[in-house]
Amino acid sequence: GQNIDQPTEMTATEGAIVQINCTYQTSGFNGLFWYQQHAGEAPTFLSYNVLDGLEEKGRFSSFLSRSKGYSYLLLKELQMKDSASYLCAVRNFNSGNTPLVFGKGTRLSVIA
Amino acid sequence: NAGVTQTPKFRVLKTGQSMTLLCAQDMNHEYMYWYRQDPGMGLRLIHYSVGEGTTAKGEVPDGYNVSRLKKQNFLLGLESAAPSQTSVYFCASTPWGTSSYNEQFFGPGTRLTVL
C-alpha cells in the first residue's frame, strides 16, 4: 500500500519563505507531484520530481530524496495569492498505469 | 481547447435518487480518472480508465459505476445516492504513457449534496 503524510496547516508571512514537507511509503515509485488548490477550485500542477535533487521553477522549488521517501515544496517571496492547499501526490510504478495517490494536503495561510 | 469539463457544476439529490456526472476532455488523452474530495480526506480515486472501453476500480469504488464508451467522455454514475456520497467530485485526464512525466489535468469539479 501507500501512505503519504504532510502537515495539515501552516501559516507564513508575506514576503517570507515556507517549506512544506511530504513523506511517503510506497511499494514502487515513479514520480512525485505537487499541486496547488485554491479554495473552491480544481488542483493545478506545480512540479514533478522523479530523480533526487532540486527542481526550481520561479518562486517555487521542489526537492526529492527517494532513499528517504521525502520531498518538500519551497515557496519564496510569499504573496497573499499563495494562500491555498498544497497537495503532494505519488505515482506508483508497479500499478502499470498512472493513477496518483494524493496526500491530504497542507493548507497554507499567508498573512500580512 | 476547453480542457477538461464537468457537468453539472452543482447538484442536490435525495437519498435513493440516481444521477450521472459527465466528464469530457478535448486533449485526446488516453487516461481518465474520477476522484472525490472530502474535508480532511484529500483526493481519493473512485474509478479510472486507461482507454476507451476499459475501466478499473480505485480506492473507493463502492456505490459508483463508470463507463468510457468514447475516448473523450468518462461518466460516473450513482445508482442509489446516499448522504455519505456528499462530496466534491473531480475528473482528471492524462496523455498515454506510464514511464514518462505526465501531469494530470483536472476539471472544475461537481459539488454534490445528498439529503
Side-chain angles (χ1 to χ4, degrees), chain A residues 6 82-83 86:
Chain A
Q6 48 182 132
D82 297 329
S83 292
Y86 292 85

Side-chain angles (χ1 to χ4, degrees), chain A residues 30 33 35 37 40-45 48 57 87 91 93 95-105, chain B residues 31 33 35 37 40-43 45 48 50 90 94 97-108 111:
Chain A
N30 193 25
F33 294 75
Y35 282 80
Q37 185 178 25
E41 298 183 7
T44 56
F45 171 77
Y48 168 75
K57 189 184 294 185
L87 313 179
R91 185 166 63 204
F93 180 80
S95 70
N97 42 54
T98 59
L100 296 181
V101 178
F102 284 84
K104 295 180 179 180
Chain B
Y31 294 76
Y33 316 86
Y35 293 91
Q37 188 173 40
M41 296 298 294
L43 282 164
L45 184 66
Y48 63 98
V50 301
F90 286 102
T94 60
T98 61
S99 61
S100 59
Y101 148 69
N102 275 319
E103 67 175 275
Q104 287 191 355
F105 295 83
F106 283 84
R111 188 174 297 273

Side-chain angles (χ1 to χ4, degrees), chain A residues 63-77:
Chain A
F63 171 83
L64 175 67
S65 169
R66 289 171 296 171
S67 63
K68 295 182 179 179
Y70 168 69
S71 173
Y72 68 72
L73 180 69
L74 193 71
L75 290 73
K76 302 177 184 176
E77 301 171 12

Side-chain angles (χ1 to χ4, degrees), chain A residues 6 8 20 28 66 78 90 104 107:
Chain A
Q6 48 182 132
T8 303
I20 302 174
R66 289 171 296 171
L78 280 172
V90 172
K104 295 180 179 180
R107 182 181 301 175

